Amino acid sequence: MKGRASAPAKIILFGEHFVVYGNPAILASIDRRITVSARKVREGKVTIKSDIAAGEFEGSTFKLIEGVNARSALDPLYFAAKHALDARKQKTGLEITIKSDIPYGVGLGSSAASLVATIAAIESLLGRPDKKKICESAIEAERIIHKNSSGADCYVSTFGGLIHYSRGGGFKKVDAKSKLSLVIGDTGIKHNTGELVSSVRKLKEANQMAFGGLMSQAKDICNQALAALGSGNIDQLGVLMNESQLLLERLGVSHEKADELIDVARRSGALGAKMTGAGGGGAIIALAANKEDSERIAAGIKAAGFAAFEVEIDPKGLIVG
Ligand code: MEV
């Protein structure tokens, strides 16, 4: 018997970093997924195999199967698995297999999606999965990697679609009047979300007044973006993405390669472009007026020597079974 689940990647359209301090963010799950299967094995042993790391946990011992920094990549997944087993007073061991078509470490939510799908696969093996509880457990496990996680990535991966999220305020689905044509460009530069969030915290502590000003501008942009989505004003949405990028540059979380890709996307006809997620390299998103333009933007980014792909918003979120 196997438990199976899949969870989508995400993009943050507005509000990354500011969402950690209570601001709203607008984010969407996209049509790239992580699929996890879980099966019972002999008591006490939890084996986790993914495309980037594999290892075996037994009590407090860890045996590397393969991968660089495998332990730190697998620890949160093991924590989540143990938590799911303990909550159901289950002593069984587990073999967990993770397959991903989400580029990892570039801000597209691969770690949140792998946690959500892993917990859901185990829950479907052991009992009745509950989305809200899965999301809460995934956030708890994510906080091992980055202790100030806003929870936004786990929410959008679990519940799917285009959402407006704030810490404390939860999430609301956003109805976009027009379909969004979006392109992702990948600098290929892996980042560490925890370190980037800490660097913003230091900046905030060093200059509370200036940070407060950026927070209120970011909130304003997010509110305007919500109105633009509601009225289908795509041009305005693009302008707001460019404004949001300026704020992220002020936080010092963008990267010269991301800036280069944003520039290429804009010169190839994007209505707006910005980094997405924690920054420090990672991925950028560009908004196009239509499908033809998004193809041109993706081609422009590829011609500059980087990976690019068009994406659609995934309405489903977590799928169990
Ligand atoms: C990371 O995808 C988004 C950040 O805002 C961190 C968080 O929300 O926890 C940078």
Side-chain angles (χ1 to χ4, degrees):
M1 227 185 62
K2 272 192 178 175
R4 270 178 67 86
S6 77
K10 69 92 189 25
I11 49 172
I12 301 187
L13 287 151
F14 297 95
E16 53 270 90
H17 285 288
F18 298 105
V19 69
V20 171
Y21 305 99
N23 253 19
I26 297 175
L27 54 163
S29 59
I30 54 171
D31 55 350
R32 290 256 168 159
R33 284 187 170 260
I34 280 185
T35 304
V36 178
S37 66
R39 68 179 185 94
K40 291 186 182 179
V41 294
R42 88 165 161 79
E43 187 176 326
K45 201 152 97 176
V46 176
T47 308
I48 309 175
K49 295 178 184 160
S50 79
D51 306 330
I52 53 165
E56 214 171 77
F57 293 85
E58 193 157 7
S60 56
T61 61
F62 173 74
K63 204 166 104 198
L64 176 71
I65 300 175
E66 66 178 339
V68 183
N69 295 330
R71 177 93 203 237
S72 56
L74 299 177
D75 260 348
L77 294 162
Y78 176 59
F79 172 88
K82 270 295 281 165
H83 187 267
L85 289 172
D86 294 348
R88 291 183 187 274
K89 297 191 172 49
Q90 289 266 349
K91 295 220 177 300
T92 181
L94 290 171
E95 184 181 84
I96 297 163
T97 310
I98 302 171
K99 293 266 163 244
S100 174
D101 68 357
I102 307 176
Y104 75 94
V106 293
L108 297 176
S110 70
S111 80
S114 62
L115 283 167
V116 168
T118 298
I119 298 166
I122 300 169
E123 290 290 308
S124 84
L125 181 71
L126 302 179
R128 201 177 302 143
D130 173 284
K131 277 197 172 187
K132 192 165 176 291
K133 284 200 188 126
I134 290 167
C135 182
E136 282 162 5
S137 299
I139 295 171
E140 204 180 317
E142 200 190 28
R143 290 195 173 133
I144 297 179
I145 334 173
H146 121 69
K147 67 176 188 319
N148 290 310
S149 167
S150 68
D153 293 11
C154 292
Y155 262 92
V156 77
S157 188
T158 307
F159 297 101
L162 183 64
I163 69 168
H164 176 270
Y165 173 84
S166 74
R167 214 173 170 159
F171 79 100
K172 277 191 239 72
K173 293 258 179 184
V174 175
D175 267 333
K177 195 144 183 223
S178 318
K179 190 165 178 264
L180 302 181
S181 295
L182 293 159
V183 179
I184 290 183
D186 184 358
T187 66
I189 299 165
K190 311 277 179 220
H191 64 209
N192 180 319
T193 302
E195 280 170 17
L196 286 152
V197 170
S198 298
S199 77
V200 173
R201 182 171 291 276
K202 283 197 193 109
L203 190 101
K204 173 179 178 282
E205 278 160 9
N207 199 337
Q208 297 278 359
M209 281 270 283
F211 191 81
L214 295 177
M215 281 282 281
S216 77
Q217 286 180 62
K219 190 173 181 179
D220 198 37
I221 290 175
C222 201
N223 290 339
Q224 288 183 54
L226 207 54
L229 282 164
S231 64
N233 191 344
I234 297 300
D235 289 313
Q236 172 67 357
L237 204 62
V239 170
L240 293 166
M241 282 168 73
N242 291 340
E243 284 180 14
S244 164
Q245 172 63 18
L246 289 175
L247 296 186
L248 292 162
E249 285 170 19
R250 302 263 306 270
L251 291 185
V253 292
S254 197
H255 184 280
E256 57 179 19
K257 287 288 170 205
D259 299 346
E260 188 184 327
L261 287 200
I262 289 166
D263 194 42
V264 172
R266 289 179 187 154
R267 280 192 283 109
S268 308
L271 299 173
K274 63 182 277 293
M275 51 159 274
T276 185
I284 67 120
I285 46 170
L287 178 68
N290 50 48
K291 176 90 182 107
E292 215 173 58
D293 282 6
S294 64
E295 279 168 13
R296 186 148 30 88
I297 294 162
I301 296 173
K302 285 181 192 160
F306 297 92
F309 51 96
E310 292 164 69
V311 284
E312 301 234 331
I313 294 180
D314 158 285
K316 298 191 194 92
L318 170 65
I319 299 172
V320 183

